Amino acid sequence: DGGITQSPKYLFRKEGQNVTLSCEQNLNHDAMYWYRQDPGQGLRLIYYSQIVNDFQKGDIAEGYSVSREKKESFPLTVTSAQKNPTAFYLCASSTGGSGNTIYFGEGSWLTVV
Amino acid sequence: AQSVSQHNHHVILSEAASLELGCNYSYGGTVNLFWYVQYPGQHLQLLLKYFSGDPLVKGIKGFEAEFIKSKFSFNLRKPSVQWSDTAEYFCAVILEYDKIIFGKGTRLHILP
């Protein structure tokens, strides 16, 4: 079945460690996104990528990094510079262009202790 | 900066009441508009979407939304809510260059 796979679903890390969240899609979508969902804050855009080897900062990119070496993969690294990393992270993809629809992964819960 | 505003953070209604959730966006170019719903403990689900054509769009579960370009609005409506509509609702906008912005969400609580 086509879809978006995020892993791991739950992750615990110690403060000061970098952690990478995986996002893979087999929908042949050009555009991919990372959001962070916090209570009362909605979904805030961290980074997005319209095409392979290109990505743009979203509204809260500080403390995060991404890469887009392959069309189907858009990993997110939460670095030790992120001041409040504990959150629910959602990956999404879309076909891009007009008439596009957004597809979401199931999310990853990151807890930093 | 581009943004999406949802006016009500928390709405409480009785069953059978009518619902309208406000959504306004700030962007002068072409947009695609969405409403998503997140039921307690579940993932985001698409309620409805607007790309072009008739500005009144109908979605699942009796929801509809009207795009008013002059007001930069895309309000969600339902004539008669049910207890099962208790959820959090998110308005989202896709800008011309594929940037997707979400509102902060509206928590809807329906009293049985």
Side-chain angles (χ1 to χ4, degrees):
Chain A
D1 287 346
I4 302 177
T5 302
Q6 285 187 242
S7 62
K9 192 168 184 178
Y10 300 97
L11 187 59
F12 291 85
R13 276 295 180 268
K14 291 184 179 179
E15 218 174 271
Q17 289 182 329
N18 290 356
V19 60
T20 297
L21 306 179
S22 169
C23 178
E24 304 276 330
Q25 54 99 358
N26 60 5
L27 300 165
N28 201 33
H29 285 171
D30 286 314
M32 295 187 74
Y33 308 82
W34 274 105
Y35 291 90
R36 171 181 170 144
Q37 186 175 16
D38 297 282
Q41 297 286 334
L43 276 72
R44 292 183 290 170
L45 182 63
I46 304 172
Y47 269 97
Y48 68 107
S49 167
Q50 290 175 275
I51 200 166
V52 175
N53 292 323
D54 187 39
F55 48 83
Q56 288 78 39
K57 290 182 179 180
D59 300 316
I60 55 165
E62 187 176 348
Y64 298 98
S65 66
V66 293
S67 63
R68 188 85 188 276
E69 296 176 3
K70 298 186 294 183
K71 187 175 186 178
E72 58 270 23
S73 178
F74 191 42
L76 173 74
T77 296
V78 184
T79 75
S80 56
Q82 167 51 231
K83 293 177 183 177
N84 187 19
T86 295
F88 183 63
Y89 292 86
L90 268 174
C91 179
S93 72
S94 75
T95 53
S98 62
N100 49 10
T101 298
I102 314 162
Y103 294 79
F104 289 94
E106 293 197 339
S108 294
W109 283 100
L110 172 63
T111 302
V112 175
V113 295
Chain B
Q2 311 95 7
S3 65
V4 175
S5 298
Q6 291 184 238
H7 315 300
N8 311 101
H9 297 299
H10 199 177
V11 173
I12 302 174
L13 293 172
S14 297
E15 271 194 312
S18 65
L19 169 72
E20 181 160 3
L21 302 182
C23 173
N24 284 88
Y25 64 94
S26 61
Y27 181 69
T30 302
V31 296
N32 292 341
L33 298 150
F34 301 81
W35 275 96
Y36 280 85
V37 60
Q38 188 170 32
Y39 296 102
Q42 296 187 25
H43 305 297
L44 286 164
Q45 297 178 37
L46 180 65
L47 265 182
L48 47 78
K49 58 189 177 185
Y50 172 80
F51 292 155
S52 63
D54 188 348
L56 184 63
V57 292
K58 295 190 183 299
I60 61 171
K61 304 187 181 184
F63 286 92
E64 64 178 32
E66 184 175 13
F67 172 50
I68 303 179
K69 191 174 181 180
S70 60
K71 295 185 178 180
F72 300 90
S73 70
F74 190 54
N75 292 355
L76 180 71
R77 300 194 291 249
K78 185 170 183 178
S80 176
V81 294
Q82 300 170 305
W83 178 79
S84 57
D85 293 324
T86 294
E88 191 160 16
Y89 293 79
F90 295 94
C91 181
V93 171
I94 298 182
L95 310 180
E96 288 164 316
Y97 43 92
D98 294 333
K99 185 176 181 181
I100 304 172
I101 305 172
F102 283 81
K104 290 189 175 183
T106 297
R107 290 198 171 198
L108 175 64
H109 188 76
I110 307 299
L111 303 173

